[in-house]
Each structure stands twice: as C-alpha cells, then as structure tokens.
Amino acid sequence: PKGVMISHRSMSNLYAMVKELIEPYDGRFLCSTQTVFDCFVVETLVAIAIGRTVVFADSEEMMLPWRLAELIEEHNAGIIEMTPSRLNMCLGNERFQKLAKHIKIVLLGGEVVSDTLLNKFSEHSDGILMNMYGPTEATVFTTMEPLEKGKHITIGRPLQNTRTYVLDENMNPVIPTACGELYIAGECLSSGYIGREDLTNELFVDDIYFAGEKMYRSGDLVRLRVDGRYDYIGRKDLQVKLNGQRVELNEITAAIESVSAGIQASTVAVKKKNGTMELCSFYVCNNEDVTNSVIQDGIKKILPNYMIPSAIVR
C-alpha cells in the first residue's frame, strides 16, 4: 500500500549478493510472484541481469501447486522464491511432493520459518532452504541463513554493505543476547516513501554511528546471538504478515469502526492447520441496522482485498 523509492545503487548491491548466492546452483528462475511484491524484482530483473532464463507462471499455475510443480520439472526451474506458508501449502500436494526433487534452492521470505516446514521439505527434496529476511525499505533482503534440519532457525547475518543495529526504545544499543528493535542502514537503504514525508521522517532516522546517513527502524524485534546471527522475536506493533503481505490490524479495526457510530471492534490473525493465516474481526454495536454485510460493504470501499477479514463476527 506504500510506494518505496529504491535507488539503482541499492539494486546493484542486491544483484551482486544474489549472483554470488545462486552461482553454485544450476537451473532457471521460476517467477511465480505478482508484480506488487518486492521479490518480483529478484525473480525477473536480477535473474536476467545474472544471465539466467526466467520461467513465468501464469495466474493458474501460481495458485495450483501441481501446476507449479510441473512447470518446475518441464523447464528446469530449480531456483524459486516463496513465502513459508505458500511452500507449506504446496508440500501438502502429492504431485508437488514428487517433483520437489527438481528444486535446487528456495529463497524463503516474508514470514517466519518453522521446524515443521524445514522437516517436511527435507523429506521430499535435497534442495537448500535459504531463510531471507528483509523489508522492502531495505531493498528486499537484509539478512540470510541457509537452514539445516535439526539446527536452530535464525534469520542469519547481515548481507554485504548492510549494517544492522539492535537498539532499545531510546535508540541505545542493547547488550548481545538482549532483545531490541532491528535498525537497518547501508547501501541497501531506500530513500523513503513516495508521497509520505511524515512516515519517511518517522521511520528513517539519523544513523547513530554514521553522520549524515539514515537508518530504518524496522519495527521487528530481534536478539543478537553470540555467533553473530539474529533470532527473530516478533513485531513491536500490530503488524502481521499474511501470505507475505504486510497487514496492519489496527487499520482494519479503524475501517470497521468508521462504518457507523458506536461500533467497537478488534481484529486478530488466526493460524490455520495448514500453516496459513487468516484475518478475523469481532465487533459490538447497539445499532441493529449494522450487520455483517453492511460492515463488509463498508470496508471494501476503504481496504484492499487482501486486508478484508475472512470472518466478521458480531
């Protein structure tokens, strides 16, 4: 929902990192991402710049795991990007399980990776799961960690030309192993938001170590381990990731309460058995004219489709 200004310099830095990462792996890039996601750039422009062929999935292939698996097999598209929840959904399909052996490396991003997913993937493929963390404001990827079955899952270490700080609420460094907010700086940093100077000033603040440069306050809570890797703890606000999309729960709640006077509401993200998330909103209102359908129609005028709750409960 917010446009971010990425420089060519930051893209060049991303290109160099991705080139080094995928060099050991044969195969083509599978582009199975819609253009609204930042990782679409990696699957297309960066992949072509590196010299790899890009295999585009159509809208049906993006949705159906068995069609996606057949595309990977037919075109030797062994390098793919996915959210953990999407990979988990694909691995629930028998056809995808059989053809997962063709996958060389999966760049996982946008959500937290579980041990269950790592174990499930290992059962069907010898490919590498690479845990990639990074907000769009820092040009797609900030830290990286190859995952190994049976080992502790982290988001890894900072990538080249990237600086990361773990700071407390007063922007002072916390001691190693303590929890704090992750701040990001370096060549990866964007110039801020298009048309949102207020938000840019709020989140892109002066770098505490490098005069004249900025750092981005991510809102993500992490812990710096003694080995230099980061544990991801969670969010310091009400933002959640839904199939890789950022969702501000308070924005949904505010939209529901704006439909009519006297509505009090709350929105939560509920994890389903297959590992995916869905949004659920609850409300109270004394006005009998306010129904679920009235609220549904009202918020559709305000919110994008992916922020519309799956269930609205009075």
Side-chain angles (χ1 to χ4, degrees), residues 38-217:
D38 58 2
C39 58
F40 176 82
V41 177
V42 176
E43 294 177 340
T44 54
L45 300 182
V46 172
I48 292 169
I50 291 169
R52 297 297 179 97
T53 300
V54 178
V55 178
F56 283 90
D58 62 28
S59 55
E60 184 181 72
E61 288 162 341
M62 287 182 186
M63 297 295 293
L64 303 176
W66 57 92
R67 292 292 309 279
L68 205 59
E70 289 167 357
L71 201 63
I72 292 169
E73 180 191 37
E74 182 182 353
H75 295 283
N76 187 31
I79 304 168
I80 66 177
E81 278 189 283
M82 278 190 175
T83 60
S85 59
R86 190 180 184 202
L87 180 60
N88 189 57
M89 178 193 73
C90 287
L91 288 170
N93 175 260
E94 190 174 331
R95 181 68 173 152
F96 191 95
Q97 290 174 1
K98 289 180 179 177
L99 298 181
K101 61 185 178 183
H102 296 283
I103 298 173
K104 307 291 195 308
I105 183 171
V106 183
L107 307 183
L108 282 176
E111 296 164 348
V112 175
V113 183
S114 67
D115 288 307
T116 304
L117 176 61
L118 178 56
N119 294 337
K120 187 186 293 187
F121 179 77
S122 301
E123 290 174 10
H124 304 290
S125 177
D126 293 327
I128 300 295
L129 282 187
M130 195 69 69
N131 196 12
M132 313 292 291
Y133 163 83
T136 306
E137 290 85 347
T139 316
V140 191
F141 299 136
T142 303
T143 67
M144 177 179 71
E145 168 85 332
L147 302 181
E148 295 182 47
K149 188 177 178 181
K151 293 195 174 181
H152 180 71
I153 293 175
T154 76
I155 58 172
R157 297 179 176 86
L159 302 175
Q160 61 184 26
N161 303 316
T162 298
R163 303 190 301 274
T164 50
Y165 319 132
V166 185
L167 310 179
D168 64 17
E169 58 272 15
N170 298 315
M171 288 202 295
N172 294 316
V174 301
I175 61 171
T177 73
C179 179
E181 183 176 359
L182 184 65
Y183 286 70
I184 305 166
E187 297 295 345
C188 62
L189 211 60
S190 72
S191 305
Y193 302 102
I194 298 172
R196 290 296 306 273
E197 189 176 347
D198 57 330
L199 201 59
T200 299
N201 292 335
E202 178 187 343
L203 298 180
F204 289 81
V205 296
D206 292 336
D207 194 312
I208 60 173
Y209 295 112
F210 289 77
E213 295 193 30
K214 295 290 184 181
M215 58 182 184
Y216 170 69
R217 52 194 315 168

Side-chain angles (χ1 to χ4, degrees), residues 250-260 263 265 267 279-283 290-313:
N250 54 349
E251 288 184 11
I252 300 171
T253 298
I256 293 173
E257 292 178 345
S258 71
V259 171
S260 177
I263 297 179
T267 303
L279 300 171
C280 231
S281 290
F282 302 86
Y283 73 98
V290 176
T291 62
N292 288 7
S293 58
V294 168
I295 289 178
Q296 189 101 11
D297 293 340
I299 62 176
K300 280 182 177 178
K301 299 173 184 176
I302 304 170
L303 301 172
N305 284 336
Y306 69 87
M307 289 178 69
I308 303 297
S310 301
I312 297 175
V313 182

